[in-house]
Amino acid sequence: MAEQDIFDISVVGAGPAGLIAGAACAQSGLRTVIIGPPSNRDDRRTSALFGGSIELLKRLDILERLGGLSEPITGIRIVDGSASLLRAPEVLFEAREAGFEAFGYNIPNAALTEALEGASGRLLTRVPSGVTEVKIGSRDVTLTSDSGEKLASRLVVAADGRSSATRAAAGIEVSNWTYPQSAIVAMFHHQRDHHGISTELHRSAGPLTVVPGPGKTSNLVWIDTHEEVARLLALDDQAFCGELSTALKGLLGALSDFTPRQSFRLSGQTARSLAKSRVVLVGEAAHVIPPIGAQGLNLSCRDAAALADIAGEAKRSGVDIGGEATLKRYENARQADVGSRVFAVDLLNRSLLSNIPGVSIARGFGLFALASSPALRARVMREGVMPTTSHHQPSTSPLAQDVDI
Ligand SMILES: Cc1cc2nc3c(=O)[nH]c(=O)nc-3n(C[C@H](O)[C@H](O)[C@H](O)COP(=O)(O)OP(=O)(O)OC[C@H]3O[C@@H](n4cnc5c(N)ncnc54)[C@H](O)[C@@H]3O)c2cc1C
């Protein structure tokens, strides 16, 4: 293939992580192509995206495109609903307590990918096909699409999800595990104002979270055992509404107008390496975590931002974009952040599931300490603003840069 036909970056997969990574790389001055079928418009999940991710979406002109579909999250309430011997009081993290206007925004996944597809058209090349072959050479990688098209690039970004074939082609192995839980998502209307507060009810089968949406709507992520989720999915709207009202103990008043429910089985996965053989991993190709504390896509946004910086800098300084030095910089920039989030979410989930009294008592003491100490809460929020493991330095944004609570 002629030199001028070789892209700097090809992104395999046009889900949220691939679209964000592709747009960020293009904005960093890299000649970029995204290859993948249009993303699932029937994804009824929303993503709570925090400060650092929102800053990136603003830079990519995505936030304005979402119009009134996103909702600011100004507070996070944690309620201990476990059967622990030590029941902790509820903890409320308020963005203004740490000097921010909001922690971030709650954004519907379908609207997010649609806005990203609309915006990326101007910036980069888009090939709406699947990749059937990945051929890694010493100077570039050639991808073959299912329409027979061949595309070459210096670096390939594997954003093709948890079963990534691109990751496998690079010889990167994964560790994976499952949880005895599934999550139900749905959107609903309610009588009382949510005041911008996301509420996490920590129950012994997993957290039940209601995230604020526009007006008097909220988005539900209800984690429970597979058996209980199957039972809840089989209920009609009225019966399901009754179950949720009981679980929320009247928090949002009368509930109505539920969208059809979707469910997801919970699992975890980490890749042994985040970069190898001219391939880097982003999104769920790199890390899969349960939807607790809204970390998955936020991690992916930080993957995208780090990659765009590192590969953009390599291009400007004439270094091989897919070479060993660039891959190593990406691996070093992302390893600690990814590892620590996977560990923290897994630990929190297992502490809820655990029947060992010491474990639930320790979690209860943690919530007690947070509830009674504004200084400790502020410290936790500041750690969110300046995550010690993140690649990026905080900006002077009125949004928290990241939240890990
Ligand atoms: C219930 C639930 C709630 C969540 N809530 C939040 C939240 O509030 N905040 C948050 O940050 N995260 C959240 N997450 C996590 C977040 O949804 C995921 O991290 C995110 O959707 C993963 O996106 P992705 O692009 O990596 O993967 P995917 O969405 O799986 O995209 C992969 C893409 O690759 C494509 N593909 C696959 N194979 C090929 C191929 N051979 N060629 C080309 N394309 C290919 C697929 O078609 C797909 O479009 C939640 C997850 C769940 C389950």
Side-chain angles (χ1 to χ4, degrees):
M1 198 168 287
E3 277 294 307
Q4 70 270 19
D5 294 331
I6 299 176
F7 285 92
D8 294 322
I9 304 267
S10 50
V11 180
V12 183
L19 290 167
I20 294 171
C25 286
Q27 203 181 55
S28 220
L30 296 151
R31 214 175 137 237
T32 304
V33 57
I34 301 182
I35 313 153
S39 59
N40 177 13
R41 289 282 185 271
D42 193 35
D43 185 343
R44 298 201 203 114
R45 289 173 293 179
T46 60
S47 294
L49 294 181
F50 301 124
S53 307
I54 295 297
E55 286 294 297
L56 178 60
L57 293 183
K58 278 187 182 163
R59 280 209 306 277
L60 300 173
D61 286 335
I62 300 302
L63 213 60
E64 307 78 82
R65 284 174 176 260
L66 292 165
L69 294 171
S70 62
E71 181 68 13
I73 301 171
T74 56
I76 296 175
R77 178 193 287 125
I78 299 178
V79 182
D80 186 1
S82 69
S84 163
L85 292 175
L86 185 76
R87 269 283 187 82
E90 75 173 48
V91 184
L92 177 62
F93 295 88
E94 288 183 284
R96 61 164 188 216
E97 202 183 347
F100 311 120
E101 282 167 17
F103 287 122
Y105 287 79
N106 183 30
I107 302 174
N109 283 16
L112 176 63
T113 47
E114 194 174 344
L116 283 160
E117 280 167 8
S120 61
R122 311 176 265 116
L123 287 171
L124 45 79
T125 306
R126 179 82 180 82
V127 178
S129 322
V131 168
T132 51
E133 193 189 37
V134 180
K135 215 165 153 200
I136 300 170
S138 59
R139 298 185 59 244
D140 54 40
V141 182
T142 305
L143 302 174
T144 308
S145 78
D146 51 23
S147 57
E149 195 174 351
K150 293 209 183 290
L151 296 147
S153 61
R154 301 291 176 213
L155 180 68
V156 171
V157 179
D160 44 353
R162 56 184 69 195
S163 311
S164 172
T166 315
R167 180 184 65 211
I172 301 176
E173 289 179 6
V174 291
S175 310
N176 40 41
W177 59 96
T178 56
Y179 296 96
Q181 299 153 297
S182 293
I184 297 179
V185 300
M187 194 267 277
F188 60 97
H189 287 68
H190 40 79
Q191 189 186 22
R192 294 207 185 122
D193 207 324
H194 50 52
H195 300 292
I197 295 171
S198 179
T199 300
E200 287 179 26
L201 197 58
H202 285 194
R203 307 156 87 237
S204 41
L208 184 163
T209 307
V210 280
V211 192
K216 287 185 181 173
T217 68
S218 286
N219 294 92
L220 170 71
V221 182
W222 183 338
I223 296 176
D224 218 306
T225 60
H226 300 311
E227 297 73 24
E228 181 63 359
V229 163
R231 188 186 72 79
L232 291 167
L233 286 173
L235 296 177
D236 62 24
D237 276 4
Q238 202 186 348
F240 183 71
C241 176
E243 297 266 352
L244 182 60
S245 302
T246 307
L248 290 177
K249 298 191 175 81
L251 177 77
L252 297 167
L255 315 179
S256 63
D257 302 322
F258 282 77
T259 58
R261 287 151 254 159
Q262 277 181 336
S263 72
F264 300 81
R265 285 177 90 86
L266 265 50
S267 62
Q269 181 172 276
T270 50
R272 301 269 158 83
S273 159
L274 297 173
K276 190 179 169 189
S277 307
R278 294 194 174 270
V279 172
V280 298
L281 312 184
V282 301
E284 289 204 335
H287 39 73
V288 179
I289 51 180
I292 298 173
Q295 293 296 311
L297 195 54
N298 282 290
L299 266 180
S300 310
C301 287
R302 295 202 290 280
D303 297 340
L307 172 67
D309 275 4
I310 292 165
E313 208 176 294
K315 181 170 181 170
R316 285 189 296 279
S317 33
V319 173
D320 183 356
I321 295 164
E324 278 307 312
T326 314
L327 299 188
K328 198 155 190 234
R329 279 196 69 197
Y330 179 76
E331 177 92 46
N332 289 343
R334 298 301 305 134
Q335 212 173 36
D337 188 22
V338 171
S340 62
R341 303 293 154 146
V342 172
F343 177 74
V345 171
D346 182 66
L347 189 68
L348 174 58
N349 193 28
R350 287 184 199 281
S351 79
L352 288 168
L353 289 171
S354 173
N355 290 324
I356 304 167
V359 174
S360 48
I361 287 173
R363 190 177 46 76
F365 268 125
L367 289 177
F368 260 122
L370 283 167
S372 55
S373 167
L376 186 57
R377 279 200 305 278
R379 212 171 131 194
V380 168
M381 286 187 275
R382 271 199 305 275
E383 171 57 22
V385 177
M386 288 177 273
T388 38
T389 51
S390 172
H391 165 76
H392 280 274
Q393 294 304 309
S395 74
T396 52
S397 161
L399 288 158
Q401 289 300 292
D402 181 29
V403 179
D404 185 16
I405 46 188

